[in-house]
Amino acid sequence: YLEVWMETSSEGEVFRIREIIAIDQSAPSEVTITYPSKADGEELFFQSEVCLELSSSDKISGVKAIRCFLENGEEKIVEGGQGNLILPVGYSGTVKMVAVDQAGWQSEETKTGKIVCEDEAPKISLYVPGGFAGWHQQAEQIAVKVGEPGAKYGFSSGLSSISCYVDGEQVLRKSYETHGQDSRGNYIESDTLYVTPEAVSKNGQPVTLLVRAADRAGNSAAAAETLYIDLSSPVIQIEGIHDAMITGETACANVSVLEENALSDCLFCVRYTDKEGEQAELCRIEGKDWTTAAG
C-alpha cells in the first residue's frame, strides 16, 4: 500500500491518496494441453477441425492470456488461464504456446507435436492385363495402386493401411502404422501392391476384387472390380459311337459339351471319305441349334 497526504499548519490535512501496488516476481506455469485423441508417437492426425483445451495458472497476479503461435506465422490469443484453440481442416504443423500473467511475466514455452488436419480420402486404382471386361484364361496379377492425392491442401497424413479381398475373403493386408515413413522421414503417400486371385468364375459369375485403404487421419476409400477367370477348357463327351467303330446298323451319337461358365460357340460336324478318297460333309450342327441344359 502506498499512502500520500498533505498537511498545512493552518488547515491541517488537505488531501490524502492511497494506492495498492501489486508486485509479482514469478512467471505463470507452462501451458497444459488436452488433446481430443491420443497421439500417434509425437504426431496427431485428424480428419476434421481439432479443438485443443489449454490451461495455465498463476498464484500471484493471475493469467492474463495464453499466446499461441501457429506454423503459418499466425498468432491466436486465448483470454484468461483456460480456453480452447481450434485448428481448422487444412492445418499442418506444430503450435508454440506461452502464458502471460497480469504482471507481464511469461511462462516457459510449450510446443505440440506435429498436428495434421485433412479430410481428403486416398485414391485407389486397379489394373489388370487385358482389362476387367473380358474373360481371362489364367489367374492374372492385379496391380493395386493407392495414393494420397494431397491436392486439396498441399499435404496429406500418409497411408495407414491397405486391405484386399477376393470374393469377400481377405487375401492381403499391409499396415503403415509402425513404418509409416520413408528413408527421408516423409509420410508414405503411395504404394503399389500385387494380388493374384486364386478363385475362378463359376456359372458365368465373375470374381470380385475389393480394395479398402485408409490414411492416418481416418479418411478411407474403397474400390471394387469384377474379373472373369476361366482356367479350364470345355469338356466334350460322345456316347453311342467310338473311335474306329465298325457297324452294320444305323449309329446314333449323343454329344454333350460341359462348361462350368458360359459357352461362346459350339459346332458338331460329320465328315466322311468315299472310296475315291474324296471328303464330304454329311451334317453340321452349329451352336444356335444345340439344346442347352443347366450344368
Side-chain angles (χ1 to χ4, degrees):
Y1 296 95
L2 175 64
E3 194 168 13
V4 179
W5 69 93
M6 182 177 180
E7 297 178 355
T8 65
S9 58
S10 59
E11 298 181 8
E13 185 175 311
V14 177
F15 69 87
R16 182 182 292 267
I17 298 175
R18 190 170 188 250
E19 297 287 351
I20 298 176
I21 300 175
I23 300 176
D24 184 351
Q25 295 182 316
S26 61
S29 65
E30 292 185 21
V31 179
T32 300
I33 307 170
T34 302
Y35 299 94
S37 64
K38 294 182 179 180
D40 182 2
E42 295 182 352
E43 299 167 335
L44 293 157
F45 300 93
F46 305 92
Q47 62 183 132
S48 61
E49 68 175 24
V50 57
C51 179
L52 307 182
E53 297 180 6
L54 312 180
S55 64
S56 177
S57 61
D58 185 87
K59 296 181 179 180
I60 309 300
S61 60
V63 177
K64 180 179 180 181
I66 298 175
R67 302 177 64 189
C68 306
F69 305 94
L70 278 57
E71 190 94 350
N72 57 12
E74 183 181 357
E75 179 182 352
K76 291 184 177 293
I77 302 295
V78 176
E79 300 292 341
Q82 288 187 330
N84 298 329
L85 173 65
I86 297 177
L87 299 175
V89 178
Y91 184 81
S92 176
T94 60
V95 180
K96 298 177 182 179
M97 306 171 188
V98 292
V100 181
D101 65 16
Q102 299 290 345
W105 290 100
Q106 184 172 289
S107 70
E108 293 291 330
E109 182 181 89
T110 300
K111 184 178 179 180
T112 69
K114 187 173 183 180
I115 298 174
V116 178
C117 303
E118 62 101 353
D119 57 1
E120 191 174 12
K123 183 178 179 181
I124 304 173
S125 300
L126 306 177
Y127 302 91
V128 66
F132 289 96
W135 283 88
H136 297 263
Q137 295 183 359
Q138 60 183 8
E140 300 285 2
Q141 187 180 65
I142 302 173
V144 179
K145 296 185 177 181
V146 181
E148 283 271 82
K152 201 170 183 180
Y153 307 109
F155 65 88
S156 67
S157 60
L159 292 175
S160 173
S161 65
I162 302 175
S163 299
C164 302
Y165 303 82
V166 174
D167 286 346
E169 181 179 352
Q170 186 178 92
V171 296
L172 178 64
R173 175 177 169 81
K174 187 173 182 179
S175 175
Y176 303 84
E177 293 292 343
T178 304
H179 304 289
Q181 296 180 327
D182 59 20
S183 58
R184 298 182 179 180
N186 300 318
Y187 302 132
I188 295 178
E189 297 182 342
S190 63
D191 201 358
T192 301
L193 308 181
Y194 296 92
V195 178
T196 303
E198 296 184 0
V200 295
S201 298
K202 295 181 179 180
N203 299 321
Q205 298 301 312
V207 174
T208 301
L209 174 68
L210 173 64
V211 178
R212 298 185 184 276
D215 63 18
R216 290 175 174 266
N219 303 300
S220 61
E225 287 285 0
T226 54
L227 189 67
Y228 293 88
I229 303 175
D230 189 346
L231 306 180
S232 303
S233 301
V235 177
I236 301 175
Q237 295 180 347
I238 302 176
E239 297 178 350
I241 60 174
H242 57 80
D243 189 31
M245 177 179 176
I246 299 175
T247 180
E249 300 177 352
T250 300
C252 180
N254 294 319
V255 182
S256 62
V257 179
L258 304 179
E259 168 59 39
E260 70 271 25
N261 287 296
L263 282 173
S264 174
D265 192 17
C266 52
L267 170 67
F268 175 73
C269 180
V270 178
R271 296 187 182 95
Y272 73 99
T273 304
D274 60 19
K275 59 183 179 179
E276 284 78 21
E278 297 292 331
Q279 289 189 346
E281 188 174 282
L282 181 62
C283 70
R284 170 185 289 264
I285 303 176
E286 298 189 10
K288 62 182 180 180
D289 298 320
W290 284 57
T291 299
T292 302

